[in-house]
Amino acid sequence: GMGQAVVRNGEPGRMESDQMVSSEIRTEPLVSPFSILRYWGPVCVYAGLIFFGSSVSNPPESVSSLMEKISDKILHLCEYGVFGALAYRACRHGAGAWVARHAVVVAVAGCALYGLSDEIHQLFVPLRQGDPLDLVADSVGAALGAWTWRLMERRAVQSSL
């Protein structure tokens, strides 16, 4: 069809096709019940697993022997690395435009707050205690996970061009 003049920032723009304009509009993330489930479902399930793990007074023998071999800070880093990646993915694709633009910061902040609530939760679990250094490991892990997912996504987009 015929193109139309597009006004941006109060100035008339060049002639552009309707298709170009509609494809620009479509870059905003589409939030639907399906996308909320698709992107936030894994975040919620993973958060539930973390909560469940923190509720156990005596971890199974396999877990405690693993924690003796590997520093529990490394386990926190890995656990929250996955959480950070899932949270970034959800913020980037299953939320509004502002959150999508600030997905790394929002994901890491959300994971850090969840980590804080998890350490507070452990204060009320017999034979467990909250550890501020665990929160540091959680936050660093979340940041590494979010940044890693962001880099992998960008590489995938660049290689498909």
Side-chain angles (χ1 to χ4, degrees), residues 85-103:
L86 291 172
Y88 169 80
R89 176 181 168 268
C91 289
R92 187 81 183 96
H93 303 291
W98 188 91
V99 172
R101 278 195 302 277
H102 303 93

Side-chain angles (χ1 to χ4, degrees), residues 53-59 120-130:
S54 296
S55 301
V56 178
S57 290
N58 287 321
I120 292 168
H121 168 224
Q122 287 182 40
L123 295 173
F124 300 96
V125 177
L127 308 175
R128 299 291 292 265
Q129 67 275 333

Side-chain angles (χ1 to χ4, degrees), residues 61-146:
E61 193 56 47
S62 57
V63 174
S64 36
S65 67
L66 181 68
M67 287 174 80
E68 284 167 20
K69 290 188 183 87
I70 304 170
S71 161
D72 76 313
K73 303 301 174 265
I74 300 294
L75 292 176
H76 275 267
L77 198 82
C78 295
E79 177 184 30
Y80 274 75
V82 173
F83 197 32
L86 291 172
Y88 169 80
R89 176 181 168 268
C91 289
R92 187 81 183 96
H93 303 291
W98 188 91
V99 172
R101 278 195 302 277
H102 303 93
V104 170
V105 173
V106 175
V108 173
C111 289
L113 286 171
Y114 193 81
L116 175 63
S117 75
D118 189 50
E119 293 308 314
I120 292 168
H121 168 224
Q122 287 182 40
L123 295 173
F124 300 96
V125 177
L127 308 175
R128 299 291 292 265
Q129 67 275 333
D131 181 352
L133 289 177
D134 286 351
L135 181 58
V136 172
D138 295 343
S139 302
V140 171
L144 289 172

Side-chain angles (χ1 to χ4, degrees), residues 6-19:
V6 178
V7 177
R8 282 209 185 87
N9 305 327
E11 296 173 23
R14 64 189 187 283
M15 297 294 276
E16 294 186 48
S17 73
D18 297 334
Q19 199 155 8

Side-chain angles (χ1 to χ4, degrees), residues 146-160:
W147 275 107
T148 300
W149 193 277
R150 181 174 183 263
L151 285 171
M152 288 177 6
E153 227 173 49
R154 293 211 161 166
R155 285 220 171 112
V157 166
Q158 285 169 356
S159 67
S160 71

